[in-house]
C-alpha cells in the first residue's frame, strides 16, 4: 500500500474496527491493547515532562505483521492512559517496509525517538537504517532521517536500538545478526545522537561463554540496578531445554558488569525472563523517583498467534501490566507496579483446604495465594496451574490441535500473585522471583477453581476496568 494512502485507511480501519474490538469479551479491561488490528513490541517507553509515554508497533489494517507504524499512548499515573497522534508511519524510502522498534530519550528537552527503518527488496534481501524523529508542537513527530547505516559484517537484520545517557555520551545497544547468521548485541556511542561510533559486540551467540545457538538477538535493553548491569534480550533460535526456553522465541536476561571504557560486558549465564506462553520484546524506563519499570508484549512471534479467537473480531495481542524491577543476589525480580493497587475493589479472604475455596470470578482479578502441598488452579477449564513441591507446571490446550502444552518454573514456591484480565493471566512467583504470562480465551464469565487438600490462604480483589481515553 502506498504511504500516501496509509493514514486515510488507518482512520477508516479504526472507525470500523474499534466497536468490534471493544465488544469482544476477550478484550482487556485494564491492560493496553490495540483499538483494532495488530499490536506487538512496546517502543519508546519513557517518563518525559511529567508523563509516561508508551509507543507500540501497530498494524491498524489487519492482524498480520505488516504496515508497522508507531502508535502512542501517554499517562500521568500508569493507570489512566490516553491516545496520542500516531508517531511514525512507513512513509519514507528508508522505512518503507516498516517503522520497526526502538526507544525514546529526552534530548535537551526534546522528546526524541530512535527507531529502525526497515527496507525489504523484491529479491528477498533487506537492509535497515537507525533513524531519528523529534516531537513537534502539535504532538506529532518530525523525521530527521537515518543516522546509522547497516554496519559492515552484518546482514540486514540489525534493529531495535535502545539508547541511554551515561556521563558525557549517549550509548546504544542494537540487535544484530552477523554474516555467519549468529545473533549479537552491539554497543555504540555518540556525543549528539547523530554521529555514532560502533564499539563492537558485547553479548550474543558464541560470546562470553555462551553457546553458538541463536541466529538473531532482538530487542536489547541495558540498565543498572544497584551495582549490577542487566541486559534484557530476545535470542531467536535458542535451543529449547526440558523446562526452559520453550516458546518459539524466548525473552532472557544476563547480569554482570559493563566496562564503558573498554566496551566489555562481563556477565553470567542466560536466564529466562518470563516462563509463560506469551511474553516478548520487553522494554524498560526509569521513573522520576528512580524506579526501573518494564512492560512487555503479551505475545510471541510465529507459533499459534494467528489462531487466537480475537482475530475474528479484527484485533490481536495486548501488553503486559507495567512491572517494577528489582534485584536480589544478582538476580532480576519483577513485581506489578504499585500504582495498580488503585484498581482494587473490596478485599475478600479465604483460609482452609484448597478444594473448599469458593469459585472466584476471574474476569478482572488480583489474587494473593500462599500454601504448601499440591494445589491446582483451574482457569475456566482452559488453563491450569499445577503447584507442586518442585515448582509450577502451566498447562494450556493448543489452539491448533487441542493437545496440552506445558510451561514450567522450577524451584520451591511459597507465594503467588495472580493478575487476570478477561483473556490473560500473569503469575508472579515468590514476590517476583519468577513470572509466567499467558493469554487464554475462556467462555465468559471466567472463573477460577482451586483443587487439592493443601491448606491455603487467599486474599483477592476484583479489579476495576480502566479504559484508554
Amino acid at each position: 500500500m502506498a504511504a500516501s494512502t496509509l493514514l486515510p485507511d488507518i482512520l477508516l480501519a479504526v472507525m470500523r474496527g474499534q466497536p468490534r474490538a471493544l465488544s469482544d469479551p476477550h478484550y482487556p479491561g485494564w491492560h493496553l491493547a490495540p483499538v483494532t488490528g495488530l499490536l506487538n513490541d512496546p517502543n519508546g517507553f519513557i517518563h518525559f515532562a511529567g508523563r509516561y509515554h508508551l509507543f507500540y508497533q501497530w498494524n491498524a489494517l489487519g492482524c498480520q505483521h505488516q504496515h508497522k507504524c508507531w502508535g502512542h499512548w501517554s499517562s500521568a499515573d500508569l493507570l489512566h492512559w490516553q491516545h496520542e497522534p500516531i508517531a511514525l508511519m512507513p512513509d519514507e524510502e528508508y522505512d518503507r517496509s516498516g517503522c520497526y522498534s526502538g526507544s525514546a530519550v529526552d534530548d535537551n528537552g526534546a522528546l526524541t525517538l530512535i527507531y529502525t527503518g526497515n527496507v525489504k527488496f523484491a529479491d528477498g534481501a533487506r537492509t535497515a537504517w537507525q533513524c531519528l524523529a523529534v516531537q513537534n508542537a502539535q504532538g506529532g513527530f518530525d523525521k530527521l532521517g537515518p543516522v546509522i547505516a547497516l554496519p559492515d559484517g552484518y546482514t540486514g537484520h540489525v534493529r531495535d536500538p535502545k539508547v541511554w545517557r551515561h556521563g558525557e555520551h549517549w550509548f546504544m545497544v542494537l540487535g544484530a545478526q552477523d554474516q555467519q547468521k549468529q545473533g549479537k548485541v552491539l554497543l555504540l556511542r555518540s556525543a549528539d545522537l547523530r554521529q555514532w561510533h560502533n564499539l563492537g559486540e558485547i553479548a550474543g551467540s558464541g560470546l562470553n561463554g555462551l553457546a553458538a545457538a541463536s541466529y538473531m538477538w532482538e530487542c536489547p535493553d541495558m540498565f543498572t540496578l544497584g551495582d549490577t548491569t542487566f541486559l534484557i534480550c530476545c535470542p531467536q533460535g535458542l535451543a529449547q531445554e526440558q523446562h526452559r526456553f520453550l516458546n518459539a522465541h524466548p525473552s532472557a536476561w544476563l547480569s554482570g558488569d559493563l566496562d564503558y571504557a573498554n566496551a566489555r560486558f562481563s556477565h553470567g549465564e542466560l536466564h529466562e525472563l518470563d516462563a509463560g506462553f506469551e511474553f516478548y520484546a520487553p522494554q524498560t524506563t526509569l521513573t522520576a523517583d528512580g524506579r526501573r519499570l518494564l512492560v512487555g508484549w503479551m505475545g510471541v512471534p510465529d507459533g499459534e498467534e494467528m489462531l487466537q479467537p480475537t482475530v475474528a473480531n479484527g484485533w490481536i495481542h495486548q501488553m503486559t501490566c507495567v512491572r517494577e524491577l528489582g534485584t536480589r543476589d544478582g538476580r532480576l525480580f519483577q513485581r506489578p507496579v504499585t500504582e495498580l493497587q488503585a484498581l482494587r475493589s473490596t478485599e475478600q479472604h479465604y483460609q482452609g483446604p484448597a478444594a473448599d475455596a469458593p469459585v472466584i470470578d476471574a474476569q478482572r482479578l488480583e489474587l494473593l495465594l500462599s500454601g504448601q502441598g499440591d494445589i491446582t488452579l483451574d482457569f475456566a477449564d482452559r488453563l491450569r496451574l499445577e503447584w507442586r513441591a518442585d515448582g509450577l507446571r502451566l498447562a494450556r490446550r493448543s489452539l491448533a490441535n487441542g493437545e496440552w502444552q506445558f510451561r514450567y518454573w522450577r524451584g520451591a514456591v511459597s507465594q503467588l500473585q495472580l493478575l487476570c484480565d478477561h483473556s490473560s493471566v500473569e503469575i508472579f512467583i515468590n514476590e517476583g522471583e519468577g513470572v509466567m504470562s499467558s493469554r487464554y480465551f475462556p467462555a465468559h464469565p471466567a472463573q477460577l477453581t482451586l483443587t487439592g487438600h493443601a491448606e491455603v490462604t487467599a486474599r483477592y480483589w476484583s479489579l476495576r476496568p480502566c479504559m484508554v481515553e
Side-chain angles (χ1 to χ4, degrees):
M1 180 175 294
S4 60
T5 66
L6 198 59
L7 188 56
D9 281 286
I10 289 174
L11 180 59
L12 182 60
V14 169
M15 289 189 295
R16 288 178 172 174
Q18 185 172 12
R20 293 174 60 203
L22 295 181
S23 63
D24 187 336
H26 296 311
Y27 195 85
W30 58 273
H31 283 81
L32 292 167
V35 295
T36 192
L38 176 141
L39 166 150
N40 58 300
D41 304 8
N43 297 156
F45 191 23
I46 189 172
H47 187 262
F48 173 82
R51 293 187 68 83
Y52 294 94
H53 295 263
L54 180 60
F55 303 82
Y56 56 98
Q57 293 281 282
W58 184 35
N59 174 19
L61 303 181
C63 292
Q64 298 74 38
H65 287 277
Q66 299 173 338
H67 311 300
K68 293 297 179 67
C69 302
W70 275 36
H72 182 193
W73 297 299
S74 75
S75 172
D77 60 5
L78 297 171
L79 294 175
H80 303 92
W81 295 84
Q82 67 183 37
H83 294 291
E84 300 290 349
I86 296 174
L88 300 171
M89 289 192 296
D91 54 9
E92 299 290 347
E93 185 60 27
Y94 53 79
D95 61 14
R96 59 185 171 86
S97 302
C99 297
Y100 277 22
S101 293
S103 53
V105 296
D106 180 347
D107 183 21
N108 294 313
L111 181 55
T112 303
L113 309 182
I114 306 98
Y115 72 100
T116 298
N118 188 49
V119 178
K120 297 180 181 179
F121 301 105
D123 63 358
R126 65 194 293 167
T127 192
W129 303 88
Q130 312 312 316
C131 309
L132 293 184
V134 177
Q135 190 172 40
N136 56 40
Q138 292 72 43
F141 287 82
D142 298 324
K143 293 181 179 179
L144 303 184
V147 293
I148 303 174
L150 195 67
D152 291 338
Y154 298 90
T155 73
H157 290 279
V158 177
R159 55 182 173 267
D160 311 332
K162 178 62 191 288
V163 177
W164 71 98
R165 186 82 178 179
H166 179 78
E168 298 300 313
H169 289 90
W170 296 101
F171 286 85
M172 174 193 293
V173 281
L174 189 60
Q177 181 187 73
D178 67 19
Q179 294 290 354
Q180 289 71 46
K181 305 295 176 65
Q182 295 294 298
K184 310 290 184 180
V185 174
L186 310 181
L187 181 68
L188 297 90
R189 184 181 64 216
S190 174
D192 60 2
L193 296 177
R194 274 72 173 169
Q195 300 294 322
W196 289 89
H197 177 55
N198 186 358
L199 303 177
E201 300 171 356
I202 61 166
S205 180
L207 295 177
N208 304 332
L210 297 181
S214 51
Y215 61 80
M216 175 65 192
W217 279 38
E218 292 191 310
C219 306
D221 190 335
M222 186 165 253
F223 55 89
T224 299
L225 289 173
D227 297 326
T228 304
T229 297
F230 291 89
L231 175 66
I232 288 175
C233 51
C234 295
Q236 295 183 305
L238 195 66
Q240 293 186 349
E241 300 178 10
Q242 183 179 4
H243 295 127
R244 296 196 309 164
F245 306 125
L246 296 176
N247 286 340
H249 302 292
S251 293
W253 62 268
L254 297 161
S255 65
D257 179 67
L258 177 63
D259 181 348
Y260 280 92
N262 295 297
R264 293 194 183 117
F265 181 44
S266 303
H267 61 75
E269 64 178 303
L270 201 63
H271 301 272
E272 193 164 35
L273 186 59
D274 190 299
F277 286 95
E278 274 92 21
F279 182 88
Y280 201 70
Q283 191 168 105
T284 76
T285 193
L286 199 62
T287 67
D289 59 3
R291 293 175 293 159
R292 176 65 59 171
L293 303 184
L294 174 147
V295 65
W297 167 35
M298 204 180 295
V300 174
D302 305 323
E304 296 186 351
E305 63 173 329
M306 294 305 162
L307 300 179
Q308 294 184 11
T310 68
V311 172
N313 285 315
W315 71 280
I316 185 171
H317 298 313
Q318 65 178 57
M319 294 299 180
T320 68
C321 74
V322 178
R323 304 171 181 180
E324 183 175 339
L325 301 183
T327 181
R328 191 183 308 164
D329 300 325
R331 295 187 64 85
L332 192 63
F333 278 61
Q334 306 173 65
R335 301 185 68 179
V337 71
T338 305
E339 283 86 341
L340 289 176
Q341 294 178 13
L343 298 180
R344 292 172 174 173
S345 59
T346 303
E347 181 176 338
Q348 300 184 71
H349 302 264
Y350 171 76
Q351 186 169 8
D356 294 342
V359 175
I360 300 173
D361 179 2
Q363 183 89 334
R364 295 184 305 275
L365 171 71
E366 179 180 357
L367 168 66
L368 297 177
L369 187 67
S370 58
Q372 291 184 336
D374 292 353
I375 305 164
T376 298
L377 290 75
D378 188 303
F379 297 88
D381 198 32
R382 294 290 192 276
L383 186 77
R384 293 176 185 166
L385 181 66
E386 300 168 355
W387 180 354
R388 304 295 183 258
D390 61 350
L392 302 172
R393 185 174 80 162
L394 189 64
R396 187 180 70 180
R397 290 195 182 275
S398 165
L399 294 172
N401 56 29
E403 296 181 358
W404 285 104
Q405 299 173 327
F406 302 99
R407 298 293 183 267
Y408 304 87
W409 190 88
R410 314 309 290 174
V413 178
S414 59
Q415 189 255 10
L416 299 177
Q417 181 179 11
L418 294 91
L419 295 175
C420 306
D421 188 4
H422 294 192
S423 60
S424 66
V425 180
E426 293 168 88
I427 303 163
F428 294 84
I429 306 158
N430 296 342
E431 297 184 331
E433 183 181 356
V435 192
M436 305 179 86
S437 301
S438 298
R439 299 295 303 283
Y440 81 117
F441 304 97
H444 285 280
Q447 294 182 323
L448 170 60
T449 305
L450 275 61
T451 58
H453 299 295
E455 291 283 319
V456 298
T457 299
R459 300 170 56 204
Y460 54 101
W461 302 261
S462 176
L463 299 178
R464 287 184 284 272
C466 195
M467 304 302 291
V468 180
E469 296 178 351

